Amino acid sequence: MNEQDLYSVQNFDFLARSFARMQREGRQIDISNVTGNMDEEHRSWFCQRYEFYQRQTVCE
């Protein structure tokens, strides 16, 4: 994985975690709007991470 790809993955992970936290705080998050410009591979990965962080916030 090149440095640019690693940087993008870290940014997407941060965003997925942030949106999950915002949803836990009661904000309405439309994940389809968030991922609207992503290609299918990135959208799938992002949604998996978002769901992972959503499950984590339920357990806290």
Side-chain angles (χ1 to χ4, degrees), residues 24 52-60:
R24 182 187 72 204
F52 169 78
Y53 287 121
Q54 281 183 307
R55 287 190 304 271
Q56 274 194 334
T57 62
V58 171
C59 296
E60 292 179 346

Side-chain angles (χ1 to χ4, degrees), residues 14-30:
F14 171 78
L15 290 171
R17 185 174 51 237
S18 296
F19 283 117
R21 185 179 314 120
M22 288 167 40
Q23 184 180 32
R24 182 187 72 204
E25 293 170 351
R27 299 181 189 182
Q28 294 296 319
I29 304 298
D30 184 348

